[in-house]
Amino acid sequence: MVLERSLTRVLMGMILLGNGVNLLILLGGKAGTPPIVGAGPEPEMADPLPQIMILTAIVITLGMTAFLLALAYRSWAMSGHDEVQDDVEDQRIMQLAERDEGSGTDDRDHHEAVR
């Protein structure tokens, strides 16, 4: 979904990706008592590092979500849709590729002709 042209789908893909990473980090930690001194024996305490990393990842995902949402809204307000258009250079490269396909030659034929 992250590679789609619609910014709404990119936004949904980023949210799913962020939540998936959070779950992956959570599964990396061990279960145990809360990591508070005095709440339980020290060897049975959970590792606080994955929890801190998840909180940081949540903040980063929230920032990315807000930015992509603002981009999608701005695109929709200005053009009536949220699709990302090809730029001029992409269109030129596509035309060159189509012209090369239509000529019936490829790189191997060109290299053999040069030899």
Side-chain angles (χ1 to χ4, degrees):
M1 289 179 74
V2 175
L3 298 176
E4 292 287 330
R5 292 240 181 227
S6 171
L7 288 175
T8 305
R9 289 180 186 230
V10 171
L11 176 66
M12 296 302 289
M14 287 301 295
I15 291 171
L16 287 173
L17 184 67
N19 288 335
V21 168
N22 290 345
L23 285 174
L24 183 67
I25 293 171
L26 180 65
L27 293 175
K30 68 172 188 153
T33 60
I36 301 170
V37 176
E42 193 171 319
E44 294 178 7
M45 286 185 185
D47 186 13
L49 184 62
Q51 298 170 16
I52 294 168
M53 290 176 65
I54 290 173
L55 286 174
T56 304
I58 288 171
V59 171
I60 292 169
T61 303
L62 179 66
M64 286 293 297
T65 300
F67 178 70
L68 287 172
L69 189 60
L71 280 178
Y73 177 74
R74 178 74 175 181
S75 177
W76 179 78
M78 292 188 74
S79 63
H81 57 81
D82 66 344
E83 300 253 339
V84 176
Q85 301 297 319
D86 287 335
D87 62 353
V88 176
E89 185 66 18
D90 284 344
Q91 292 174 354
R92 188 181 70 80
I93 290 172
M94 285 176 29
Q95 289 172 353
L96 288 173
E98 288 172 358
R99 190 171 12 156
D100 286 344
E101 286 178 4
S103 67
T105 62
D106 61 0
D107 288 337
R108 284 179 277 148
D109 293 338
H110 176 69
H111 290 298
E112 290 174 10
V114 171
R115 289 184 190 172

